[in-house]
Amino acid sequence: LMAIIHSTKEVARIHAIARRRTVSPVISKEIAALRNIEVIETLLHNRGARLYEDDMLMLVDEFNQNGNVVDALIGRGGLPM
């Protein structure tokens, strides 16, 4: 999956990875690092995707003006207070 994330320019392929039944925190980190808002929203709405706390905080910092991302992060839970 890492090779696909790093080699493809096709957003549809990254969306497919973000929608998998389970997504490890390592793969989620790589997807988040792409900074593609649509793919990030897909990832955040996927209950099977696991994210490291620092990646969630990075997304809050980077996308705090995007209501969809903020709502998805809040809906996931697990953000530190």
Side-chain angles (χ1 to χ4, degrees), residues 2-81:
M2 291 283 238
I4 294 169
I5 292 168
H6 291 288
S7 67
T8 190
K9 300 222 187 285
E10 294 178 49
V11 175
R13 291 180 125 197
I14 308 298
H15 270 284
I17 294 170
R19 283 191 303 265
R20 291 173 61 99
R21 184 161 32 131
T22 60
V23 181
S24 74
V26 172
I27 297 298
S28 293
K29 180 180 215 52
E30 295 301 313
I31 292 172
L34 297 174
R35 308 297 202 273
N36 179 299
I37 193 76
E38 291 98 14
V39 175
I40 289 169
E41 287 179 22
T42 298
L43 182 69
L44 292 175
H45 286 289
N46 179 353
R47 290 291 178 189
R50 300 291 168 240
L51 287 95
Y52 292 122
E53 184 178 295
D54 63 324
D55 294 322
M56 291 176 66
L57 292 173
M58 178 273 297
L59 292 172
V60 168
D61 287 341
E62 290 243 350
F63 298 103
N64 60 32
Q65 299 298 313
N66 183 301
N68 292 336
V69 171
V70 171
D71 289 345
L73 282 163
I74 292 169
R76 286 187 69 82
L79 284 173
M81 298 298 255

